[in-house]
Structure formats: structure tokens, C-alpha cells
Amino acid sequence: MRLTIATPEEMAALGATIARQLRAGDLVALNGELGAGKTTLTRGLGEALGVRGAVTSPTFVLARTHPREHGGPPLVHVDAYRLGGAAELDDLDIDFASSIVVVEWAAGMLDGVTDDWLEVAIERPTGGPTPGFDVEDEDAVEPREVTITGHGERWSRLKLA
């Protein structure tokens, strides 16, 4: 599935749409350049799941667990940028089976972690006036191309409605 996402609000709304499909044990792999909108998508996903607290980039803590306001599996938000591979992701000791896990910078990080995951690749224009969606000037925001691919039996019949 390929989509054009024009604004940060649309990226957050895509996160909310994805959230409606998620359950404990699901893994969402996000890939894209710095400023592409990975955290914006995760923020929308977290809001739709009803997590406590703000969803921010876990760059310096590597992983942040967000419990949900009204129960249900927590959202575990991972920034794998500084990890060297799947073994280091495994070293974070994340309870994949009981959580909804979102991994930013997921390329090359999922070997052996699971057979089923949802991959979201976000492409932003290069050479544009701003690197990300977190800007004040709405005219400076450029659309993103998002490709969503389901892997494994769980996501074989992917439908985001």
C-alpha cells in the first residue's frame, strides 16, 4: 500500500488508523530519514491507543514503555538508530508477546525477533527547506510518500480502513 501524506496531522492520523489494527504481540517497523515523520506517526498511534504521557522520540533512552490509560497492552517505542543489530534489540529485554512494539530505524533489526510485522517506510523529499514535520511554517512542510507492507501470516491480508 502506498500513500501520500501531506501534513503532520495526516501522518498522526495514519498512526491512529494503524493503531486500530494492533494487538498484543504486534510489531511495527518504521524506516525513513531523520525528520521523515516516524515519531509523528508513533505519536498519533499512541494517542489512538490511549497511552499515558507524551510520546516523544526515545533516542537517548533507546526504548520507552507507555502504559495505556484504560488497560490493554502497553506501547513500547524503540529508537534503534544507535543499536548495532537484532541482538542488541533483543538485549533491551522487551516483552514483545505482551506489548505493541514500534521500532524506529528498524532496518536490519528484526532478524529472528518475529515472523510477523508491519513495515512502514517513509520517504521525504531531499533538498527541501525543512528536515521534518515539526515546523512552524505550514507552507514549508512537504508531502511524504509512505509505503506500508505487511510481513507474515498476521499481516498477509493487510487492510487499513
Side-chain angles (χ1 to χ4, degrees):
M1 171 182 302
R2 191 155 171 88
L3 308 165
T4 299
I5 303 295
T7 66
E9 294 78 20
E10 286 182 21
M11 187 66 77
L14 176 60
T17 298
I18 292 170
R20 289 192 287 274
Q21 305 292 320
L22 299 176
R23 62 184 186 213
D26 283 341
L27 174 64
V28 179
L30 302 179
N31 291 298
E33 294 180 48
L34 184 65
K38 297 179 298 293
T39 300
T40 300
L41 183 139
T42 306
R43 190 172 298 123
L45 193 149
E47 287 174 10
L49 290 174
V51 302
R52 287 186 287 172
V55 174
T56 59
S57 178
T59 300
F60 299 105
V61 295
L62 300 180
R64 188 173 278 125
T65 299
H66 298 277
R68 292 169 70 178
E69 291 283 346
H70 304 290
L75 170 64
V76 178
H77 184 197
V78 180
D79 186 322
Y81 183 77
R82 296 185 300 150
L83 298 180
E88 289 185 23
L89 178 62
D90 187 52
D91 286 345
L92 295 178
D93 201 27
I94 295 167
D95 184 357
F96 285 95
S98 300
S99 305
I100 294 169
V101 180
V102 175
V103 180
E104 294 189 25
W105 304 97
M109 295 291 157
L110 305 181
D111 295 338
V113 172
T114 183
D115 293 330
D116 301 283
W117 72 94
L118 187 64
E119 180 179 359
V120 181
I122 306 170
E123 298 174 44
R124 70 172 183 84
T126 55
T130 60
F133 268 5
D134 298 323
V135 295
E136 298 289 325
D137 181 5
E138 289 184 19
D139 293 331
V141 174
E142 295 179 293
R144 281 22 178 187
E145 294 298 320
V146 178
T147 304
I148 303 172
T149 308
H151 298 271
E153 182 64 28
R154 163 83 172 102
W155 298 105
S156 64
R157 292 173 290 284
L158 173 65
K159 291 183 182 160
L160 295 176

